[in-house]
């Protein structure tokens, strides 16, 4: 029915040089042809790519599209007939109801708007400590290691109860899952040592509960294995996403000086600025779903079993939803971006991320009014598109000391 | 407000905190079942943004 769909054959596509904040041109172009395109998955499996805001949102809200890991196909690797096992206990991102709810429900009360706002003062403290350290060490510095990673890392570790002395090595392990460049061998090694670490941590919390989310969860019917899976999801998500939003967000602001100046001089802009940066950058850029039955999507039939790629970053640049979508405008009024997803899997930690970003970004640009890149912008090393979370590997910055 | 559908995203509280709050389990609660006119746009936005379609708006009196 309808027009034959546009076909996209290359994934992941790369970003155009000089446009590190824009989704790859092929995806933006696919959206121009319509909100849904065909994408042939490896091994000749017919799949789909959705780039339009409304359709991405409706698929995310539709229980006929599954998040179960065992039903997923990799968009670029042909695993042939290898059977993918279901997600391990606790790793609820890759599950459907009711399995998903078993893990999300006990966590919901831990990440409420009110609870996260109570952490504001602590975020301010950690932010100030790191800005002080940057100032004392003097320019130049790598903003990723000096600021963007430690602030969210300390917050999620404190919230979950990861001991202070373990943070550094733990963060390195998690980074190696997420940077999109780790060899399979190193990936397995990092995963195994993280699992071992979390097993010890869960056992320690059970023996001596402290005031943190993981300890609280030991007082439920969740098993150690389940707690380990939950901790892995929360830590990986909490460490990597906000860190990349902070670093890439700073890079974007430095490339839009008039926007940066607006944020610096108008603190009431902070909330809106954070939402706009989330929309504009959308670091968690694509997610997968699998149709459980035949579903009509945008005038096409997505057959049962078909894999679907949801392009959040392209949806967040949909001109039918956002006026002048490729412009970073911190005063933008139209909310409703998909940076945290939609539907039952919408980011559990989003209110924590908001508190961190709305404290850390204005504090950074206010403390260092002459902050600028220490290298030409094209030399800023970006994460590859194969990384689950987009961002910069390092962000060399300098200022007038 | 359908508490069974709620996934505790907090979008409603973020959008219209005069009208919505979350309980200790993270579930949305309606503070003002008949929200004042001044909050109408925010309430509409909260309904629209709810990721789990757990909030409905009724015009019945």
């Amino acid at each position: 029915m309808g027009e034959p769909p546009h076909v996209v054959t290359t994934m992941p596509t790369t970003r155009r040089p000089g446009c590190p904040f824009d989704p790859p041109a092929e995806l933006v172009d696919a959206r121009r042809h319509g909100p849904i395109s065909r994408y042939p998955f490896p091994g000749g499996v017919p799949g789909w790519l959705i780039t339009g805001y409304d359709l991405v949102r409706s698929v995310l809200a539709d229980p006929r599209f599954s998040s179960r890991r065992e039903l997923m196909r990799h968009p670029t690797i042909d695993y042939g007939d290898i059977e993918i096992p279901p997600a391990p206990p606790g790793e609820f991102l890759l599950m459907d109801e009711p399995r998903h709810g078993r893990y999300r429900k006990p966590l919901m009360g831990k990440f409420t708007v009110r609870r996260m706002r109570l952490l504001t003062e602590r975020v301010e403290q950690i932010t100030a400590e790191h800005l002080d350290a940057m100032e004392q060490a003097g320019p130049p510095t790598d903003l990723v290691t000096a600021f963007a990673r430690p602030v969210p890392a300390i917050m999620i570790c404190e919230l979950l109860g990861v001991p202070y002395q373990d943070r550094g090595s733990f963060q390195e392990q998690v980074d190696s899952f997420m940077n999109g460049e780790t060899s399979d061998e190193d990936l397995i090694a990092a995963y195994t040592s993280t699992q071992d670490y979390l097993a010890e941590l869960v056992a320690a919390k059970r023996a001596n509960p402290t005031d943190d989310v993981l300890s609280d969860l030991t007082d439920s019917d969740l098993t150690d294995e389940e707690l380990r899976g939950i901790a892995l999801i929360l830590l990986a998500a909490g460490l990597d996403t906000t860190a990349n939003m902070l670093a890439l967000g700073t890079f974007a602001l430095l490339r839009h000086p008039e926007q940066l100046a607006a944020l610096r001089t108008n603190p009431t802009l902070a909330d809106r600025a954070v939402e706009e940066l989330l929309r504009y950058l959308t670091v968690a850029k694509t997610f997968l779903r699998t149709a459980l039955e035949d579903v009509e999507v945008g005038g096409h039939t997505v057959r049962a079993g078909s894999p679907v790629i949801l392009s959040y970053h392209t949806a967040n640049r949909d001109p039918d939803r956002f006026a002048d979508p490729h412009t970073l405008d911190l005063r933008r009024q139209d909310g409703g971006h998909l940076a945290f997803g939609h539907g039952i899997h919408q980011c559990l930690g989003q209110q924590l991320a908001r508190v961190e970003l709305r404290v850390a970004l204005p504090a950074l640009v206010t403390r260092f009014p002459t902050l600028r890149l220490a290298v030409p912008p094209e030399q800023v090393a970006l994460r590859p598109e194969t990384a689950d979370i987009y961002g910069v590997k390092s962000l060399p910055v300098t200022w007038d000391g | 407000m359908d508490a069974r559908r709620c996934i505790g995203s907090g979008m409603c509280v973020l959008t219209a905190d005069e009208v919505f709050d979350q309980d200790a389990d993270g579930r949305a609660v309606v503070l003002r079942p008949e929200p004042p006119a001044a909050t109408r746009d925010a309430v509409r936005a909260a309904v629209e943004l709810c990721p789990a379609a757990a909030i409905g708006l009724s015009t019945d009196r």
Side-chain angles (χ1 to χ4, degrees), chain A residues 173 177 185-199:
Chain A
Q173 286 169 13
F177 309 145
E185 209 171 285
D186 291 347
L187 207 64
I188 292 165
Y191 187 76
T192 309
S193 57
T194 304
Q195 289 290 8
D196 292 347
Y197 174 76
L198 291 175

Side-chain angles (χ1 to χ4, degrees), chain A residues 57 104 113-114 343 346 351, chain B residues 7 9 21-22 25 48 51:
Chain A
R57 204 171 180 270
R104 179 152 182 146
V113 172
R114 193 188 291 265
Q346 193 185 52
Q351 307 303 349
Chain B
I7 59 150
S9 75
D21 199 356
Q22 284 165 286
D25 295 328
E48 153 83 11

Side-chain angles (χ1 to χ4, degrees), chain A residues 61-346:
Chain A
D62 190 336
R64 294 174 296 175
F65 286 93
S66 171
S67 289
R68 281 155 63 191
R69 187 172 82 167
E70 67 272 29
L71 301 179
M72 299 289 181
R73 286 195 171 261
H74 198 283
T76 56
I77 302 169
D78 185 4
Y79 287 116
D81 293 331
I82 294 176
E83 275 200 26
I84 306 292
E91 293 186 24
F92 58 96
L93 207 62
L94 299 173
M95 298 174 183
D96 293 339
E97 294 307 322
R99 219 176 152 218
H100 163 267
R102 170 170 170 80
Y103 304 113
R104 179 152 182 146
K105 278 183 193 140
L107 290 166
M108 278 165 34
K110 316 284 180 198
F111 290 89
T112 60
V113 172
R114 193 188 291 265
R115 273 198 173 211
M116 294 304 104
R117 281 183 182 161
L118 288 175
L119 299 174
T120 302
E121 212 171 302
R122 181 66 185 131
V123 181
E124 285 170 349
Q125 222 171 44
I126 296 165
T127 298
E129 282 165 19
H130 285 79
L131 295 177
D132 288 348
M134 262 173 70
E135 202 163 26
Q136 276 155 26
T141 194
D142 170 20
L143 196 81
V144 173
T145 48
F147 187 67
R149 276 173 63 176
V151 173
I154 292 171
M155 285 310 296
I156 192 70
C157 287
E158 285 187 0
L159 204 64
L160 279 164
V162 173
Y164 191 81
Q165 66 272 18
D166 298 344
R167 272 176 212 152
S169 61
F170 187 74
Q171 196 181 332
E172 272 172 35
Q173 286 169 13
V174 172
D175 183 59
S176 57
F177 309 145
M178 310 295 275
N179 67 24
E181 294 182 308
T182 308
S183 69
D184 287 355
E185 209 171 285
D186 291 347
L187 207 64
I188 292 165
Y191 187 76
T192 309
S193 57
T194 304
Q195 289 290 8
D196 292 347
Y197 174 76
L198 291 175
E200 279 174 40
L201 186 65
V202 167
K205 297 295 172 193
R206 231 186 244 293
N208 297 299
T210 41
D211 183 17
D212 54 64
V213 169
L214 205 51
S215 295
D216 286 355
L217 290 178
T218 60
D219 198 20
S220 68
D221 68 342
L222 295 164
T223 66
D224 282 6
E225 194 188 10
E226 290 176 316
L227 291 175
R228 211 165 64 209
I230 290 173
L232 182 71
I233 291 281
L234 295 183
L235 283 161
L239 284 172
D240 205 55
T241 48
T242 313
N244 280 295
M245 269 306 301
L246 276 174
L248 195 66
T250 304
F251 185 19
L253 288 171
L254 292 174
R255 299 293 291 147
H256 296 84
E258 72 297 340
Q259 298 291 320
L260 189 153
L263 177 63
R264 185 183 287 133
T265 52
N266 183 3
T268 60
L269 203 59
D271 286 326
R272 201 167 282 169
V274 165
E275 297 307 314
E276 173 65 349
L277 285 166
L278 286 162
R279 181 198 72 86
Y280 184 71
L281 300 170
T282 317
V283 295
K285 53 200 165 38
T286 49
F287 280 81
L288 300 169
R289 293 289 187 274
T290 303
L292 294 172
E293 53 187 88
D294 291 1
V295 187
E296 293 299 316
V297 181
H300 301 286
T301 303
V302 175
R303 297 275 172 217
S306 295
V308 178
I309 305 172
L310 301 170
S311 172
Y312 290 9
H313 52 350
T314 319
N316 275 340
R317 299 289 189 97
D318 186 337
D320 288 346
R321 179 62 176 77
F322 300 100
D324 202 4
H326 300 295
T327 299
L328 176 70
D329 175 8
L330 302 189
R331 294 182 183 83
R332 187 181 287 278
Q333 305 269 2
D334 38 9
H337 62 70
L338 297 171
F340 293 118
H342 186 71
I344 62 164
H345 290 282
Q346 193 185 52

